[in-house]
Amino acid sequence: MTTHHSGAHARADTGAGTTQNTPRRRTIASFSNYEDAERAVDHLSDNKFPVGRTAIVGVDIRMVEQVVGRMNWGRAMLHGAATGAVPGLLFGWIFGLFDLINPLVAAFTLALYGLVFGALIGAVIGAITYALQRGRRDFSSVTAMVPSRYDLVVDEEVAEDALRLLSAMTPAGGGE
């Protein structure tokens, strides 16, 4: 759902925390998702509006932690192995490049050894970390910051032009 503010109802930001060099900005539209806000800025850009004077502001931010699975010994060790394998691979490859006689073979061989060694060390560290938690956090999760809406703000001097251009914008899903 998208909510547009008309020119008469657009909020003027107070400018709190701004300096003399920072222009005052006005909220000209609010969107329920980022894609619609992005589409509005793209529309302004297509119509030669100075988009350097715009910003998309996430409002009412909340932290969402999505639980993705149960943590157990196997998952802890697998996660640790994956985390250790990548730097091990990179370190092995870089050190292999310093072989003056045959850098390609040495880089490949040391990268493979680095991958295995990094995975083993990572698995051990993953198991130790899991053991030290003593069952306090037996799940894995992904954390994200999610705003409830996205405000499109522009410099006060160009706000009326932006409102005029947005009023001509076709609804989402419609062709332009």
Side-chain angles (χ1 to χ4, degrees), residues 60-140:
D60 295 331
I61 304 285
R62 65 185 188 276
M63 186 182 83
V64 177
E65 183 175 11
Q66 178 63 49
V67 176
V68 293
R70 182 181 303 274
M71 185 61 74
N72 55 31
W73 285 100
R75 188 178 284 246
M77 292 174 69
L78 183 64
H79 178 63
T83 303
V86 174
L89 175 79
L90 291 174
F91 279 121
W93 176 70
I94 289 170
F95 283 121
L97 291 177
F98 291 118
D99 186 333
L100 298 176
I101 297 171
N102 199 348
L104 184 61
V105 173
F108 178 73
T109 305
L110 286 177
L112 186 61
Y113 287 146
L115 178 109
V116 171
F117 187 69
L120 289 173
I121 296 298
V124 169
I125 291 173
I128 291 170
T129 303
Y130 181 69
L132 291 174
Q133 290 179 350
R134 297 183 187 156
R136 280 192 314 263
R137 189 170 167 96
D138 281 344
F139 63 90
S140 56

Side-chain angles (χ1 to χ4, degrees), residues 27-40:
T27 301
I28 60 167
S30 292
F31 303 93
S32 59
N33 61 58
Y34 181 79
E35 291 77 20
D36 288 343
E38 186 177 48
R39 188 172 163 273

